[in-house]
Amino acid sequence: MITKIKGTVDILPGEVERWQNLEEVSRRVAKLYDFKEIRTPIFEQSELFHRGVGDTTDIVKKETYDFVDRGDREVTLRPEGTASVVRCVIENKLYTSAALPLKYFYIGPMFRYERPQKGRQRQFHQFGAEALGSFSPSMDAEVIGLAVTYLKALQISNVVVKLNSLGDEESKKLYRKDLIDYLTPVKEQLCSDCQHRYLENPLRVLDCKVDMENTILKDAPKPLDRLNSESKKHFEDVRRLLDGMNVTYVVDPSLVRGLDYYTHTVFELLADNTNLGANATIGGGGRYNHLVKNLGGPDFPAVGFAFGLERLILATQDQVTEDEGLHAFVIALGDQAKLQAPRIARTLRHGGLVVDLDHLDRPLKGQFKQAERQKAMFLLILGEDEIEMNIINVKNARTGEQEAVAIQALYPTLIEKIKHEMHQCSGSCESCSGDCE
Ligand code: AMP
């Protein structure tokens, strides 16, 4: 048997509806903030991620799916969305637009060669948003606001927003030096990975999963202590704006995030959820003022975030979703009826109704059973007698009530019956003009 690749999953009907709902909410909330959808290729030149995400990050060092294509090009399946959006902005000169900031969102698969576990896959999906072209702290606050609105729309509660600032390039440089000075004498007490990377990329040491509980890291100097006055002001402004928007957050001085391109604001969203575990990270982001320039574009600041959709699916797993079922199932008895049933189903479908019929030559009882399995609201029963009289029996699956309807009047009658069924009221509201009962 050929099986799927480790770390990937099949999303089957039944489960797929949850994904559609998640995608629909992502699009709807992005629209509320006037972010437009952008679609970039799933694979890019490897150099984009090496330069963009950073050569010394775990993602690029250990997790990318790299291959050489038949034309000898070095290609990488995207491990995240930001670098591709930035490449696209530069290549299409979108930064020349008068309508700045550019506000984009994306939904799609990402690929990282990680150890698969609950909420961690090798092919996973992200909903991300990027705002490019504004230095203003209000853009940071707006992007964080969008992330929080999104979780509200998904009815995910017990969310914590963690916030920190790495400062501008100057502050980051000073902080880097501080950190190297602090780590050098104690490097033997770090994990083997960190013993190598503390010099080339000391910030990643703070993000180390192995050394998470190591007191050396807990006591390490923090980026906030090294912010220059401009960076301090930016961070204070972001906080003031978030307070004004009633967005609650906690400042986490140890938060650095796993990608190299961040400057100033960084944030993470955590959910305390039984399906995910306590304090699971569901999304994160930050400001990246130099990525556009580093990838060959102009000086163009930006801020964005990404959520992992698999984790959001887990976080919303206990929410009740309705399996909508069919509006009607056509039950046909006899050759003539079987000949007519597809035409009837087709006419109703053209009118926007969800309709199905038997394709396994089931006997009458079997067809009723199948209609029940497919959760049909109405059964449309057609036998030789009905054909003769040019009628069809319309049976309400819930109440058992049945009415013979002229074939020509089937569509409008069924529409009325469905409306009535979907709106079972006491007969005194506006939408049914009092004729519900
Ligand atoms: P990052 O791009 O690393 O900041 O990740 C943003 C979000 O994507 C994380 O908070 C996770 O929710 C999700 N994510 C990252 N890696 C994976 C993965 N391997 N499997 C599932 N979700 C992931």
Side-chain angles (χ1 to χ4, degrees):
M1 183 177 57
I2 301 171
T3 58
K4 59 188 173 319
I5 301 272
K6 184 176 175 185
T8 67
V9 298
D10 298 316
I11 305 172
L12 305 179
E15 177 70 5
V16 133
E17 291 73 12
R18 285 186 182 279
W19 282 84
Q20 288 167 341
N21 178 54
L22 195 55
E23 288 158 12
E24 190 269 316
V25 174
S26 311
R27 291 196 165 86
R28 182 160 50 77
V29 174
K31 196 173 164 56
L32 293 179
Y33 285 73
D34 200 27
F35 279 61
K36 310 265 195 263
E37 182 162 358
I38 192 163
R39 298 187 187 192
T40 59
I42 279 165
F43 56 169
E44 300 267 5
Q45 293 184 41
S46 301
E47 193 192 347
L48 174 66
F49 301 111
H50 287 254
R51 263 168 62 191
V53 176
D55 267 334
T56 54
T57 57
D58 274 358
I59 295 180
V60 168
K61 267 194 146 161
K62 302 187 202 158
E63 297 171 3
T64 47
Y65 276 88
D66 300 312
F67 60 96
V68 177
D69 77 4
R70 288 168 199 268
D72 275 342
R73 297 174 197 88
E74 289 188 8
V75 170
T76 297
L77 298 184
R78 62 181 185 192
E80 57 103 59
T82 305
S84 302
V85 170
V86 169
R87 197 261 318 131
C88 171
V89 165
I90 299 170
E91 193 168 345
N92 294 287
K93 295 195 170 51
L94 302 174
Y95 52 79
T96 58
S97 160
L100 296 183
L102 306 170
K103 297 197 288 182
Y104 300 127
F105 77 90
Y106 56 84
I107 302 171
M110 308 292 160
F111 305 85
R112 294 184 195 173
Y113 194 84
E114 293 186 87
R115 202 163 58 80
Q117 49 191 288
K118 197 174 193 184
R120 187 172 297 284
Q121 295 169 190
R122 292 187 173 171
Q123 177 179 335
F124 62 102
H125 299 78
Q126 286 187 338
F127 161 57
E130 316 285 354
L132 303 103
S134 166
F135 281 106
S136 171
S138 65
M139 200 71 255
D140 307 43
E142 184 96 322
V143 163
I144 296 170
L146 165 53
V148 172
T149 305
Y150 179 56
L151 296 179
K152 275 216 170 75
L154 290 171
Q155 297 173 38
I156 297 177
S157 46
N158 300 328
V159 170
V160 175
V161 180
K162 281 190 177 176
L163 190 69
N164 196 17
S165 173
L166 305 177
D168 59 10
E169 275 302 289
E170 184 190 84
S171 311
K172 248 178 106 173
K173 251 189 215 137
L174 282 176
Y175 175 63
R176 245 180 83 99
K177 191 180 166 309
D178 264 11
L179 199 55
I180 293 176
D181 289 348
Y182 169 81
L183 292 172
T184 305
V186 290
K187 64 172 193 272
E188 265 82 47
Q189 296 171 55
L190 300 173
C191 79
S192 57
D193 261 359
C194 287
Q195 290 189 23
H196 294 295
R197 68 181 157 193
Y198 86 98
L199 273 178
E200 58 179 8
N201 197 345
L203 261 73
R204 291 284 70 76
V205 175
L206 296 190
D207 206 32
C208 177
K209 304 283 176 299
V210 182
D211 280 328
M212 221 154 52
E213 297 302 322
N214 193 332
T215 47
I216 291 176
L217 299 193
K218 286 184 179 166
D219 298 339
K222 304 290 183 280
L224 285 183
D225 304 330
R226 273 305 190 176
L227 298 191
N228 59 17
S229 57
E230 218 173 290
S231 304
K232 226 178 242 167
K233 178 163 182 344
H234 187 95
F235 191 48
E236 279 162 11
D237 287 347
V238 172
R239 292 187 59 179
R240 249 195 299 277
L241 286 154
L242 289 174
D243 292 338
M245 288 157 63
N246 283 333
V247 171
T248 22
Y249 58 85
V250 289
V251 174
D252 177 356
S254 307
L255 181 68
V256 289
R257 309 227 353 97
L259 301 95
D260 273 354
Y261 48 61
Y262 290 118
T263 47
H264 289 285
T265 317
V266 284
F267 58 94
E268 247 171 32
L269 298 110
L270 290 83
D272 205 351
N273 180 281
T274 44
N275 298 320
L276 276 170
N279 297 324
T281 308
I282 48 178
R287 184 166 267 287
Y288 49 98
N289 282 352
H290 306 294
L291 185 58
V292 180
K293 193 158 189 201
N294 288 347
L295 291 175
D299 220 347
F300 205 60
V303 52
F305 68 68
F307 279 101
L309 297 190
E310 278 72 13
R311 302 204 187 161
L312 297 180
I313 288 281
L314 282 169
T316 53
Q317 203 156 48
D318 295 337
Q319 292 174 13
V320 182
T321 50
E322 274 195 15
D323 178 0
E324 284 169 0
L326 306 177
H327 289 124
F329 190 97
V330 188
I331 292 177
L333 259 186
D335 292 343
Q336 277 306 311
K338 281 189 178 157
L339 215 55
Q340 291 222 17
R343 187 177 52 76
I344 292 170
R346 195 171 144 82
T347 309
L348 298 176
R349 287 164 175 160
H350 286 183
L353 297 180
V354 185
V355 179
D356 212 351
L357 65 162
D358 173 57
H359 291 289
L360 293 186
D361 241 341
R362 292 184 173 93
L364 186 64
K365 212 168 142 199
Q367 292 188 48
F368 272 105
K369 201 81 216 131
Q370 180 62 11
E372 196 182 321
R373 283 189 208 106
Q374 290 186 251
K375 299 194 175 69
M377 202 183 275
F378 287 93
L379 313 173
L380 312 177
I381 308 155
L382 194 65
E384 300 298 324
D385 291 351
E386 284 81 8
I387 296 229
E388 196 111 309
M389 291 185 281
N390 218 11
I391 57 163
I392 188 160
N393 282 311
V394 179
K395 182 172 179 175
N396 182 319
R398 184 178 59 86
T399 63
E401 272 172 77
Q402 188 165 313
E403 185 187 347
V405 174
I407 293 269
Q408 298 87 322
L410 176 62
Y411 179 70
T413 310
L414 195 56
I415 290 280
E416 278 314 305
K417 283 182 183 290
I418 289 167
K419 270 194 203 155
H420 183 256
E421 185 63 20
M422 288 172 90
H423 178 80
Q424 291 168 49
C425 80
S426 59
S428 57
C429 71
E430 260 176 42
S431 53
C432 62
S433 345
D435 59 358
C436 251
E437 287 305 299

